[in-house]
Amino acid sequence: MGLRPGPLLAVVRVYSFERRSIFIDINYKSVYLRGFFKRYIDDATSLAKTKEEADQILEKIAEQDPDKKLKWELEFPEGGTDFVPFLNTEVRIENDGSITSRLFRKPQQKDITLHHRSHHPDGVKTATVLNMYREANNVSSDDDQREYSFKLVDNLLSQNGYSSTRKIYESNSRKKKRKKDDTSDDRTILKLDFISDSISNKIRNYIRSNKLPIKVTFGPGTKLRDLLCKNRPYDQRKCIVTNCKVCPLIITRNMDCEAKNIVYKVTCKLCSKFYIGECYRTAHMRLGEHLRYASYPNTASNREQAPAIHHNTPHPNSTPSSESETPKVDCNTVRRKTPEAMSITRHRPEINTKDEPETTQRFPIN
């Protein structure tokens, strides 16, 4: 639907059509409905005795659209054994009024899910399998329909490299669920890229054996989408700030002062010493602060800043001269702070005056 507000506005618009057509008062009473009408986004269901009655309901709603672009696809049971799809289920109303339901997958839907050979932890794959069977079990009304739903899941998983998945679900169903521990967890959370289950277990065992106050979690690393899906990456960016003082300092290719979420290195051209840092703000704001601290080191609010201290000590009364690099851009805070900490530990920049090197020692960074 385009922009993010699009789906919400579409729901509100269709709701206004419904209020002006099939509903006649605030209590949702209607002369067209037999007591039931529900819609989720663009999927609606209602009760009707005949197909003509169902068509009338849809026509009344579509007439309210001034652009005449609202179109419905009607699914109506032709026989007593036909099911009607709604969301992820198929529903059939029996002669005695009871409802029979089972899992539904669209015929045009591709049989693709998380593959057995994909680069994900085994726990994620197991959870994916279990959730599929749980969904099939929850939407099925009886044993026959449950078996039908399970066969759909079996077929989907087998086409994605899984085997004996039904046994995994049945064995897990017999296990007793552990009660959640309500006690607060004060451990520091350390997020790392997932490499393999064996490496993840070694890291967890190291933390557990050394009784470190760390809770480690593993997430996906850099994907091809992050590396390749860029809009015209070789275009030369142009700064929109008039007389910008920061862009001339940036020596990284195709980077300007509007870049955000960066790990940066500022080098003093007077003595070749450098500063390493990271920020989520624009480079114009953060590097501009460095330039201001060095240009006015004696200002009361600047005296305690690292660039001001450095400029006042070896280069008093001289004009600041520096250049900056931005070797990494990442919107994930942990993925910025980790290379920043490792670079500080490795290079020991002399302009950094805070305790970044000591802070990094709390984590097992190799």
Side-chain angles (χ1 to χ4, degrees):
M1 292 187 180
L3 298 175
R4 288 183 179 180
L8 176 60
L9 295 177
V11 170
V12 174
R13 183 182 173 94
V14 175
Y15 172 73
S16 67
F17 296 160
E18 295 167 352
R19 288 301 307 271
R20 296 199 301 265
S21 58
I22 59 176
F23 299 126
I24 59 175
D25 65 12
I26 196 171
N27 295 317
Y28 298 98
K29 293 181 179 179
S30 174
V31 295
Y32 303 104
L33 302 179
R34 294 183 176 272
F36 182 82
F37 178 88
K38 294 292 181 182
R39 176 176 52 80
Y40 180 77
I41 311 298
D42 60 348
D43 206 353
T45 185
S46 179
L47 295 177
K49 284 189 174 181
T50 63
K51 188 174 182 179
E52 290 73 20
E53 184 179 341
D55 274 326
Q56 185 183 19
I57 295 173
L58 301 181
E59 288 174 2
K60 288 293 181 181
I61 299 174
E63 287 174 358
Q64 300 298 319
D65 183 14
D67 300 323
K68 304 302 179 183
K69 293 183 178 180
L70 183 60
K71 297 180 180 180
W72 298 89
E73 294 181 4
L74 179 61
E75 296 276 356
F76 195 86
E78 299 296 338
T81 59
D82 292 343
F83 283 82
V84 176
F86 180 68
L87 300 179
N88 65 335
T89 61
E90 288 183 310
V91 181
R92 182 179 67 200
I93 301 178
E94 306 295 346
N95 293 330
D96 59 357
S98 61
I99 295 178
T100 301
S101 62
R102 63 189 185 185
L103 186 67
F104 171 70
R105 285 181 60 83
K106 293 182 179 180
Q108 65 269 27
Q109 192 170 358
K110 296 181 179 179
D111 292 331
I112 298 176
T113 187
L114 184 66
H115 200 276
H116 178 66
R117 296 176 60 187
S118 63
H119 187 248
H120 288 79
D122 290 340
V124 173
K125 299 172 187 175
T126 302
T128 300
V129 171
L130 295 178
N131 287 335
M132 285 185 177
Y133 282 109
R134 286 170 186 155
E135 179 188 32
N137 179 67
N138 293 336
V139 301
S140 301
S141 56
D142 53 54
D143 292 339
D144 292 338
Q145 305 307 327
R146 186 173 295 105
E147 182 62 25
Y148 173 87
S149 301
F150 280 178
K151 286 183 178 179
L152 288 180
V153 178
D154 290 341
N155 180 61
L156 173 62
L157 293 174
S158 64
Q159 294 190 42
N160 287 271
Y162 295 90
S163 60
S164 304
T165 52
R166 188 86 71 94
K167 294 181 180 179
I168 297 175
Y169 169 72
E170 292 172 351
S171 62
N172 187 270
S173 300
R174 291 191 292 268
K175 293 180 180 179
K176 293 183 178 180
K177 294 183 178 180
R178 293 182 299 178
K179 293 184 179 180
K180 293 184 178 180
D181 189 1
D182 296 331
T183 58
S184 60
D185 191 351
D186 297 330
R187 293 178 296 173
T188 300
I189 297 178
L190 176 62
K191 296 182 180 180
L192 300 176
D193 291 343
F194 173 76
I195 300 175
S196 68
D197 283 294
S198 60
I199 293 179
S200 299
N201 291 332
K202 288 180 181 179
I203 294 175
R204 290 194 181 99
N205 292 336
Y206 177 86
I207 293 174
R208 191 180 298 112
S209 61
N210 289 274
K211 298 181 180 181
L212 299 176
I214 296 174
K215 180 180 181 181
V216 62
T217 60
F218 298 92
T222 303
K223 302 178 181 178
L224 285 176
R225 179 181 61 187
D226 302 326
L227 299 175
L228 302 178
C229 294
K230 294 184 179 180
N231 186 16
R232 304 173 71 177
Y234 296 106
D235 284 1
Q236 182 63 43
R237 297 175 60 92
K238 295 182 180 180
C239 181
I240 60 175
V241 180
T242 305
N243 298 325
C244 180
K245 296 182 179 180
V246 175
C247 281
L249 307 179
I250 301 176
I251 61 175
T252 305
R253 183 185 177 187
N254 291 337
M255 189 73 65
D256 65 1
C257 66
E258 291 301 310
K260 296 181 179 180
N261 303 308
I262 59 173
V263 178
Y264 63 91
K265 173 183 176 183
V266 178
T267 304
C268 176
K269 297 172 71 173
L270 301 177
C271 63
S272 299
K273 294 181 180 179
F274 57 90
Y275 177 96
I276 295 175
E278 66 85 23
C279 72
Y280 68 92
R281 298 177 296 165
T282 63
H284 183 85
M285 297 177 66
R286 183 57 181 148
L287 299 180
E289 289 177 346
H290 280 267
L291 184 61
R292 185 170 67 252
Y293 296 152
S295 300
Y296 307 100
N298 295 318
T299 304
S301 59
N302 298 346
R303 290 173 185 167
E304 302 300 322
Q305 302 296 333
I309 295 174
H310 169 74
H311 190 72
N312 250 347
T313 305
H315 319 298
N317 302 322
S318 61
T319 302
S321 179
S322 62
E323 62 183 16
S324 63
E325 305 171 58
T326 54
K328 185 174 181 60
V329 178
D330 199 315
C331 60
N332 187 295
T333 302
V334 174
R335 292 178 187 165
R336 292 196 311 272
K337 288 188 174 295
T338 299
E340 178 208 18
M342 296 178 70
S343 297
I344 291 174
T345 302
R346 183 180 301 114
H347 301 293
R348 297 287 177 174
E350 297 185 34
I351 301 182
N352 289 67
T353 58
K354 295 183 179 180
D355 59 349
E356 290 100 335
E358 288 71 18
T359 303
T360 60
Q361 302 305 317
R362 294 185 301 170
F363 301 97
I365 299 176
N366 296 322

